[in-house]
Amino acid sequence: MQTNRLNELKGFYQNILEMPLIDEGIDSFTLQIGSSALTFKESPLPAAYHFAINIPGTQITEAKKWLQARVELNLEDGNDEIYYKSFDADAIYFDDPVGNVVEFIGRRTKSGAGDFTPNSLMNISEMSITTPYVSEIALNLTDIGVNSRNNNPIDPDSLNFLGKDDTYIILVPPNRRWYFSDKFSETCPLEIELVNGHSILIDKRGLMPNR
């Protein structure tokens, strides 16, 4: 992901959320999030995204207390958490200093023992791609093996989950309000590396230029 406030973000994720820093360069840094790696790269322009992190579902209460000591949780209709029946998961949300909407999602089938710590983070669960070309990008993703969840039809005007198990790419059009936030989706450059060896590159227009 890109940002024009690299040092501020590094301080937040490393010092406030205590996520391990596994790589650092002049214009980027990389965090270890369970089995995933998350890189922020410096950009002259501001950028904001939504992403979710899997945590053990049995630790959602502990995770909430841990976060409340460090950040202000986001609200929706006065509530600071939600249960998603279709995913059998509970979720809590907060904004980082540049406006990225971050979600901790605890699937009730995933268990963890002991106190909640940054080591409890399992992997990146969801990564949003905001694009005016939702249907076109969905076809491109299908070509590299990333299919719509439960074979649901793609809706260019709504959230679309592509992936399986506990890991998804969310395709969303611009200017849609993120749940549990006053932020709206915006098209920003993004690169995603998948475990199947494929890479997804989204440019500032919301297109995949290498396809």
Side-chain angles (χ1 to χ4, degrees):
M1 298 190 292
Q2 296 191 1
T3 180
N4 65 336
R5 292 157 60 183
L6 189 72
N7 289 333
E8 185 176 0
L9 274 188
K10 185 180 74 169
F12 174 76
Y13 283 100
Q14 186 179 13
N15 300 325
I16 304 300
L17 296 188
E18 304 173 21
M19 294 182 180
L21 186 68
I22 59 173
D23 192 30
E24 182 178 9
I26 297 175
D27 63 350
S28 67
F29 68 91
T30 300
L31 303 163
Q32 188 75 55
I33 301 179
S35 61
S36 303
L38 177 62
T39 297
F40 287 97
K41 186 173 183 179
E42 189 169 30
S43 167
L45 299 175
Y49 309 81
H50 163 64
F51 64 96
I53 298 172
N54 274 320
I55 65 170
T58 56
Q59 290 188 317
I60 189 70
T61 300
E62 290 79 5
K64 183 176 176 179
K65 292 178 181 177
W66 186 88
L67 275 178
Q68 286 174 319
R70 292 160 173 81
V71 299
E72 181 177 352
L73 295 183
N74 293 355
L75 302 178
E76 182 78 20
D77 296 328
N79 299 310
D80 59 10
E81 65 179 276
I82 187 171
Y83 172 68
Y84 290 116
K85 183 178 180 180
S86 62
F87 291 100
D88 193 24
D90 301 277
I92 48 182
Y93 297 78
F94 61 95
D95 291 347
D96 73 13
V98 304
N100 293 310
V101 182
V102 187
E103 173 186 354
F104 279 13
I105 182 167
R107 302 173 197 279
R108 295 187 176 184
T109 56
K110 304 286 187 179
S111 61
D115 295 333
F116 182 87
T117 72
N119 292 329
S120 302
L121 304 179
M122 301 172 67
N123 62 293
I124 295 176
S125 169
E126 300 166 5
M127 188 67 231
S128 67
I129 295 177
T130 301
T131 174
Y133 310 101
V134 168
S135 298
E136 181 178 340
I137 298 299
L139 288 174
N140 290 341
L141 294 180
T142 299
D143 288 344
I144 60 174
V146 183
N147 300 306
S148 177
R149 179 175 185 256
N150 298 330
N151 294 315
N152 291 329
I154 298 298
D155 182 349
D157 298 317
S158 186
L159 292 177
N160 298 273
F161 289 81
L162 290 85
K164 60 183 180 179
D165 300 328
D166 64 358
T167 308
Y168 297 94
I169 290 172
I170 301 175
L171 291 182
V172 60
N175 300 316
R176 189 182 190 280
R177 186 180 71 84
W178 291 116
Y179 204 34
F180 277 79
S181 178
D182 59 359
K183 307 292 190 305
F184 288 78
S185 56
E186 56 184 277
T187 304
C188 301
L190 176 69
E191 184 174 359
I192 303 173
E193 295 183 6
L194 305 177
V195 294
N196 65 6
H198 288 284
S199 293
I200 301 165
L201 180 64
I202 303 295
D203 65 18
K204 63 182 180 180
R205 301 167 297 170
L207 289 170
M208 295 175 65
N210 56 337
R211 299 189 63 81

